[in-house]
Amino acid sequence: MSVCVRRVYDPPEPRDEVRVLVDRLWPRGLAKDAARVDEWPKALTPSTELRRWFHAGEGSYEEFAERYEAELAAGEAAEALEGLRELTRRGGVTLLTASKTPERSHASVLARLLGA
């Protein structure tokens, strides 16, 4: 089982197995066939409120990660996270995000929760 985080704008690589877009919105200027996305579980994305709070600079990345993990612990998000865990049990998963700094994004939080 391997999980990696990459920018969705980077070209697909042979080591990518299942490519999972973890952003709520489709990345600007990117054709769907060029992205080669296999899964797009929107329920895994941070809530609009949390995303706006974080991008407004109102809190630290650590606080964002805590709040995001709390969102992932309930309801549809928890079900989607379990589905992603199942994918990782079957093989490698590449988490894709449009974030300019994937290492400080929700995708990195997901990767950590998946044991990457």
Side-chain angles (χ1 to χ4, degrees), residues 7-62:
R7 291 198 73 221
V8 70
Y9 297 107
D10 295 338
E13 293 184 4
R15 68 181 176 162
D16 292 344
E17 291 184 41
V18 179
R19 293 172 52 87
V20 180
L21 179 63
V22 293
D23 291 345
R24 185 169 302 268
L25 304 174
W26 188 261
R28 291 182 188 203
L30 186 64
K32 291 193 179 192
D33 45 326
R36 217 189 91 218
V37 169
D38 299 308
E39 302 278 337
W40 188 14
K42 295 177 189 173
L44 278 177
T45 63
S47 67
T48 300
E49 297 78 19
L50 180 58
R51 193 170 30 87
R52 287 182 180 159
W53 172 84
F54 182 56
H55 291 298
E58 296 179 19
S60 67
Y61 174 74
E62 291 73 21

Coordinates of all heavy atoms in Angstrom, one line a residue, residues 7-62:
R7 N 0.3 17.3 -7.3 CA -0.5 18.3 -7.9 C -1.2 17.7 -9.1 O -0.7 17.0 -9.9 CB 0.3 19.5 -8.4 CG 0.8 20.3 -7.2 CD 1.3 21.7 -7.5 NE 0.1 22.6 -7.8 CZ 0.0 23.4 -8.7 NH1 1.0 23.7 -9.5 NH2 -1.1 24.2 -8.9
V8 N -2.5 18.1 -9.3 CA -3.3 17.5 -10.4 C -2.8 18.0 -11.7 O -3.0 17.4 -12.8 CB -4.8 17.8 -10.2 CG1 -5.1 19.3 -10.4 CG2 -5.7 17.0 -11.1
Y9 N -2.1 19.2 -11.7 CA -1.6 19.7 -13.0 C -0.3 19.0 -13.5 O 0.1 19.2 -14.6 CB -1.3 21.2 -12.8 CG -2.5 22.0 -12.5 CD1 -2.7 22.5 -11.2 CD2 -3.4 22.3 -13.5 CE1 -3.9 23.3 -10.9 CE2 -4.6 23.0 -13.2 CZ -4.8 23.5 -11.9 OH -5.9 24.2 -11.7
D10 N 0.3 18.2 -12.6 CA 1.5 17.5 -13.0 C 1.0 16.3 -13.9 O 0.0 15.7 -13.6 CB 2.2 16.9 -11.8 CG 2.8 18.0 -10.9 OD1 3.1 19.1 -11.4 OD2 3.1 17.7 -9.7
P11 N 1.8 16.0 -14.9 CA 1.4 14.9 -15.8 C 1.3 13.6 -15.1 O 2.1 13.3 -14.1 CB 2.4 14.9 -16.9 CG 3.6 15.7 -16.4 CD 3.1 16.6 -15.3
P12 N 0.4 12.7 -15.4 CA 0.4 11.3 -14.8 C 1.7 10.6 -15.0 O 2.4 10.8 -16.0 CB -0.7 10.6 -15.6 CG -1.5 11.7 -16.2 CD -0.6 12.8 -16.4
E13 N 2.1 9.8 -14.0 CA 3.3 9.0 -14.0 C 3.0 7.6 -14.0 O 1.9 7.2 -13.5 CB 4.2 9.4 -12.8 CG 4.7 10.8 -12.9 CD 5.7 11.0 -11.7 OE1 6.0 10.1 -10.9 OE2 6.1 12.2 -11.6
P14 N 3.8 6.7 -14.5 CA 3.6 5.3 -14.5 C 3.3 4.7 -13.1 O 2.6 3.8 -13.0 CB 4.8 4.7 -15.2 CG 5.4 5.8 -16.0 CD 5.1 7.1 -15.2
R15 N 4.0 5.3 -12.1 CA 3.8 4.8 -10.8 C 2.5 5.1 -10.2 O 2.1 4.5 -9.1 CB 4.9 5.3 -9.9 CG 4.8 6.8 -9.6 CD 5.9 7.3 -8.7 NE 5.7 8.8 -8.6 CZ 6.2 9.5 -7.7 NH1 7.0 9.0 -6.8 NH2 6.0 10.8 -7.7
D16 N 1.7 6.0 -10.8 CA 0.4 6.3 -10.3 C -0.5 5.1 -10.6 O -0.6 4.6 -11.7 CB -0.2 7.5 -11.0 CG 0.5 8.8 -10.7 OD1 1.2 8.9 -9.7 OD2 0.3 9.8 -11.5
E17 N -1.2 4.6 -9.5 CA -2.1 3.5 -9.7 C -3.5 4.1 -9.8 O -4.0 4.5 -10.9 CB -1.9 2.5 -8.6 CG -0.6 1.8 -8.8 CD -0.4 0.7 -7.8 OE1 -1.4 -0.1 -7.5 OE2 0.7 0.5 -7.2
V18 N -4.2 4.3 -8.7 CA -5.5 4.9 -8.7 C -5.3 6.4 -8.4 O -4.7 6.8 -7.4 CB -6.4 4.3 -7.6 CG1 -7.8 5.0 -7.6 CG2 -6.6 2.8 -7.9
R19 N -5.8 7.2 -9.3 CA -5.6 8.7 -9.1 C -6.9 9.3 -8.6 O -8.0 9.1 -9.2 CB -5.2 9.3 -10.5 CG -3.8 8.9 -10.9 CD -3.5 9.3 -12.3 NE -3.7 10.7 -12.6 CZ -2.8 11.7 -12.4 NH1 -1.6 11.4 -11.9 NH2 -3.1 13.0 -12.7
V20 N -6.9 9.9 -7.4 CA -8.0 10.4 -6.7 C -8.0 11.9 -6.5 O -7.1 12.4 -5.9 CB -8.2 9.7 -5.3 CG1 -9.4 10.2 -4.6 CG2 -8.2 8.2 -5.5
L21 N -8.9 12.6 -7.2 CA -9.0 14.1 -7.0 C -9.6 14.3 -5.7 O -10.8 13.8 -5.4 CB -9.7 14.7 -8.2 CG -9.9 16.2 -8.1 CD1 -8.5 16.9 -8.1 CD2 -10.8 16.7 -9.2
V22 N -9.0 15.1 -4.8 CA -9.5 15.3 -3.5 C -9.9 16.8 -3.3 O -10.0 17.3 -2.1 CB -8.6 14.8 -2.4 CG1 -8.5 13.3 -2.4 CG2 -7.2 15.5 -2.4
D23 N -10.2 17.5 -4.4 CA -10.6 18.9 -4.3 C -12.1 18.9 -4.6 O -12.6 18.1 -5.4 CB -9.9 19.8 -5.3 CG -8.5 20.0 -5.0 OD1 -8.1 19.7 -3.8 OD2 -7.7 20.5 -5.9
R24 N -12.9 19.9 -4.0 CA -14.3 19.9 -4.3 C -14.6 20.5 -5.7 O -15.6 20.0 -6.3 CB -14.9 20.9 -3.2 CG -16.5 20.9 -3.4 CD -17.1 21.6 -2.2 NE -16.8 21.1 -0.9 CZ -17.5 20.1 -0.3 NH1 -18.6 19.7 -0.8 NH2 -17.1 19.7 0.9
L25 N -13.8 21.4 -6.2 CA -14.0 22.0 -7.5 C -13.0 21.4 -8.5 O -11.9 21.1 -8.2 CB -13.9 23.5 -7.4 CG -14.8 24.2 -6.4 CD1 -14.4 25.7 -6.4 CD2 -16.2 24.0 -6.8
W26 N -13.5 21.3 -9.7 CA -12.6 20.8 -10.8 C -11.5 21.9 -11.0 O -11.8 23.1 -11.1 CB -13.4 20.6 -12.1 CG -12.5 19.9 -13.1 CD1 -11.8 20.5 -14.1 CD2 -12.1 18.5 -13.1 NE1 -11.0 19.6 -14.8 CE2 -11.2 18.4 -14.2 CE3 -12.4 17.4 -12.3 CZ2 -10.6 17.2 -14.5 CZ3 -11.8 16.2 -12.7 CH2 -10.9 16.1 -13.7
P27 N -10.2 21.5 -11.2 CA -9.2 22.4 -11.3 C -9.3 23.3 -12.6 O -9.6 22.7 -13.7 CB -7.9 21.6 -11.4 CG -8.3 20.2 -10.9 CD -9.8 20.1 -11.1
R28 N -9.1 24.6 -12.5 CA -9.2 25.5 -13.6 C -8.2 25.1 -14.7 O -7.1 24.8 -14.5 CB -8.9 26.9 -13.2 CG -10.0 27.4 -12.3 CD -9.7 28.9 -11.9 NE -10.6 29.3 -10.9 CZ -10.9 30.5 -10.7 NH1 -10.3 31.5 -11.4 NH2 -11.8 30.8 -9.8
G29 N -8.8 25.2 -15.9 CA -7.9 25.1 -17.1 C -7.4 23.7 -17.4 O -6.5 23.5 -18.2
L30 N -7.9 22.7 -16.8 CA -7.5 21.3 -16.9 C -8.5 20.5 -17.6 O -9.6 20.3 -17.0 CB -7.1 20.7 -15.6 CG -6.4 19.3 -15.6 CD1 -5.1 19.4 -16.3 CD2 -6.2 18.8 -14.2
A31 N -8.2 19.9 -18.7 CA -9.2 19.0 -19.4 C -9.3 17.7 -18.6 O -8.3 17.2 -18.1 CB -8.7 18.7 -20.8
K32 N -10.5 17.2 -18.5 CA -10.7 16.0 -17.7 C -9.9 14.8 -18.2 O -9.4 14.0 -17.4 CB -12.2 15.6 -17.7 CG -13.0 16.7 -16.9 CD -14.4 16.3 -16.6 CE -15.0 17.4 -15.7 NZ -16.2 17.0 -15.1
D33 N -9.8 14.6 -19.5 CA -9.0 13.5 -20.0 C -7.5 13.6 -19.7 O -6.8 12.7 -19.6 CB -9.3 13.1 -21.5 CG -9.3 14.4 -22.4 OD1 -9.7 15.4 -21.9 OD2 -8.9 14.2 -23.5
A34 N -7.0 14.9 -19.7 CA -5.6 15.1 -19.4 C -5.3 14.8 -17.9 O -4.1 14.4 -17.6 CB -5.2 16.6 -19.7
A35 N -6.2 15.0 -17.1 CA -6.0 14.8 -15.6 C -5.9 13.3 -15.3 O -5.3 12.9 -14.3 CB -7.1 15.5 -14.8
R36 N -6.6 12.5 -16.1 CA -6.7 11.0 -15.8 C -7.0 10.7 -14.4 O -6.3 10.0 -13.7 CB -5.4 10.4 -16.2 CG -5.6 9.0 -16.9 CD -4.4 8.2 -17.1 NE -4.2 7.4 -15.9 CZ -3.0 7.1 -15.3 NH1 -1.9 7.6 -15.9 NH2 -2.9 6.4 -14.2
V37 N -8.2 11.3 -14.0 CA -8.7 11.0 -12.6 C -9.6 9.8 -12.6 O -10.5 9.7 -13.4 CB -9.5 12.3 -12.1 CG1 -10.3 12.0 -10.9 CG2 -8.6 13.5 -12.0
D38 N -9.3 8.9 -11.7 CA -10.1 7.7 -11.6 C -11.3 7.8 -10.6 O -12.3 7.2 -10.8 CB -9.2 6.5 -11.1 CG -8.1 6.2 -12.1 OD1 -8.3 6.1 -13.3 OD2 -6.9 6.2 -11.6
E39 N -11.1 8.6 -9.5 CA -12.1 8.8 -8.5 C -12.1 10.2 -8.1 O -11.1 10.9 -8.1 CB -11.8 8.0 -7.2 CG -11.6 6.5 -7.5 CD -12.9 5.8 -7.5 OE1 -13.9 6.3 -6.9 OE2 -13.0 4.7 -8.1
W40 N -13.3 10.7 -7.8 CA -13.5 12.1 -7.3 C -14.5 12.2 -6.2 O -15.6 12.6 -6.4 CB -13.9 13.0 -8.5 CG -13.9 14.4 -8.2 CD1 -13.4 15.1 -7.2 CD2 -14.5 15.4 -9.0 NE1 -13.6 16.5 -7.3 CE2 -14.3 16.7 -8.4 CE3 -15.3 15.4 -10.2 CZ2 -14.8 17.9 -9.0 CZ3 -15.7 16.6 -10.7 CH2 -15.5 17.8 -10.1
P41 N -14.1 11.7 -5.0 CA -15.1 11.7 -3.9 C -15.2 13.0 -3.2 O -14.4 13.4 -2.2 CB -14.4 10.6 -2.9 CG -13.0 10.7 -3.2 CD -12.8 11.1 -4.7
K42 N -16.1 13.8 -3.6 CA -16.3 15.2 -3.1 C -16.6 15.3 -1.6 O -16.3 16.2 -1.0 CB -17.3 15.9 -3.9 CG -17.0 16.1 -5.4 CD -18.1 16.8 -6.1 CE -17.7 16.8 -7.6 NZ -18.9 17.2 -8.4
A43 N -17.1 14.2 -1.1 CA -17.4 14.2 0.3 C -16.2 14.2 1.2 O -16.3 14.5 2.4 CB -18.3 12.9 0.7
L44 N -15.0 13.9 0.6 CA -13.8 13.9 1.4 C -13.2 15.3 1.5 O -12.2 15.5 2.3 CB -12.7 13.1 0.7 CG -12.8 11.6 0.9 CD1 -11.7 10.9 0.1 CD2 -12.6 11.3 2.4
T45 N -13.7 16.3 0.8 CA -13.1 17.6 0.8 C -13.5 18.4 2.0 O -14.6 18.2 2.6 CB -13.5 18.4 -0.5 OG1 -14.9 18.5 -0.5 CG2 -13.1 17.6 -1.7
P46 N -12.7 19.4 2.4 CA -13.1 20.2 3.6 C -14.4 21.0 3.2 O -14.6 21.3 2.1 CB -11.9 21.2 3.7 CG -10.8 20.5 3.0 CD -11.4 19.7 1.9
S47 N -15.1 21.3 4.3 CA -16.3 22.1 4.1 C -16.0 23.5 3.5 O -14.8 23.9 3.7 CB -17.1 22.3 5.4 OG -16.3 23.0 6.3
T48 N -16.9 24.1 2.8 CA -16.7 25.4 2.3 C -16.3 26.4 3.4 O -15.4 27.2 3.3 CB -18.0 25.9 1.6 OG1 -18.2 25.0 0.5 CG2 -17.8 27.3 1.0
E49 N -17.0 26.3 4.6 CA -16.7 27.2 5.7 C -15.2 27.0 6.2 O -14.5 28.0 6.4 CB -17.6 26.9 6.9 CG -19.1 27.2 6.5 CD -19.8 26.1 5.7 OE1 -19.3 24.9 5.7 OE2 -20.8 26.4 5.1
L50 N -14.8 25.7 6.3 CA -13.4 25.5 6.8 C -12.4 25.9 5.8 O -11.4 26.6 6.1 CB -13.2 24.0 7.1 CG -11.9 23.6 7.5 CD1 -11.5 24.3 8.8 CD2 -11.8 22.1 7.8
R51 N -12.7 25.7 4.5 CA -11.8 26.1 3.4 C -11.6 27.6 3.4 O -10.5 28.2 3.4 CB -12.3 25.6 2.1 CG -11.3 25.7 1.0 CD -11.8 24.9 -0.3 NE -13.3 24.9 -0.4 CZ -14.0 25.8 -1.1 NH1 -13.4 26.8 -1.6 NH2 -15.3 25.6 -1.2
R52 N -12.7 28.3 3.5 CA -12.7 29.8 3.5 C -12.0 30.3 4.8 O -11.2 31.3 4.7 CB -14.1 30.4 3.5 CG -14.7 30.2 2.1 CD -16.1 30.8 2.0 NE -16.6 30.7 0.7 CZ -17.9 30.7 0.4 NH1 -18.8 31.0 1.4 NH2 -18.3 30.6 -0.8
W53 N -12.2 29.7 5.9 CA -11.5 30.1 7.1 C -10.0 30.0 7.0 O -9.3 30.9 7.4 CB -12.1 29.2 8.3 CG -11.3 29.4 9.6 CD1 -11.5 30.4 10.5 CD2 -10.2 28.6 10.1 NE1 -10.7 30.2 11.6 CE2 -9.9 29.1 11.3 CE3 -9.6 27.5 9.6 CZ2 -8.8 28.6 12.0 CZ3 -8.5 27.0 10.3 CH2 -8.2 27.5 11.5
F54 N -9.6 28.9 6.5 CA -8.2 28.6 6.4 C -7.5 29.6 5.3 O -6.5 30.2 5.6 CB -7.9 27.2 6.0 CG -6.5 26.8 5.8 CD1 -5.6 27.0 6.9 CD2 -5.9 26.3 4.7 CE1 -4.2 26.7 6.8 CE2 -4.6 25.9 4.6 CZ -3.8 26.1 5.6
H55 N -8.2 29.7 4.2 CA -7.6 30.6 3.2 C -7.6 32.1 3.5 O -6.9 32.9 3.0 CB -8.3 30.3 1.8 CG -7.9 29.0 1.3 ND1 -6.6 28.6 0.9 CD2 -8.7 27.9 1.0 CE1 -6.6 27.4 0.5 NE2 -7.9 26.9 0.5
A56 N -8.5 32.4 4.5 CA -8.5 33.8 5.0 C -7.4 34.1 5.9 O -7.2 35.3 6.3 CB -9.8 34.1 5.6
G57 N -6.6 33.1 6.3 CA -5.5 33.2 7.2 C -5.8 33.4 8.6 O -5.1 34.0 9.4
E58 N -7.0 32.9 9.0 CA -7.5 33.1 10.4 C -6.9 32.1 11.4 O -7.1 32.2 12.6 CB -9.0 33.0 10.4 CG -9.6 34.2 9.6 CD -11.1 34.1 9.6 OE1 -11.7 33.5 10.5 OE2 -11.7 34.8 8.7
G59 N -6.3 31.0 10.9 CA -5.8 30.0 11.8 C -4.5 29.3 11.2 O -4.2 29.5 10.1
S60 N -3.9 28.5 12.0 CA -2.7 27.8 11.6 C -3.1 26.6 10.8 O -4.2 26.1 10.8 CB -1.9 27.4 12.8 OG -2.6 26.4 13.6
Y61 N -2.1 26.0 10.1 CA -2.3 24.8 9.4 C -2.6 23.7 10.3 O -3.5 22.8 10.0 CB -1.0 24.4 8.5 CG -1.2 23.1 7.9 CD1 -2.0 22.9 6.8 CD2 -0.5 22.0 8.4 CE1 -2.1 21.7 6.2 CE2 -0.6 20.7 7.8 CZ -1.4 20.6 6.7 OH -1.6 19.4 6.1
E62 N -2.0 23.6 11.5 CA -2.3 22.6 12.5 C -3.7 22.6 13.0 O -4.4 21.6 13.1 CB -1.3 22.8 13.7 CG 0.1 22.4 13.3 CD 0.8 23.5 12.5 OE1 0.4 24.7 12.5 OE2 1.8 23.1 11.8

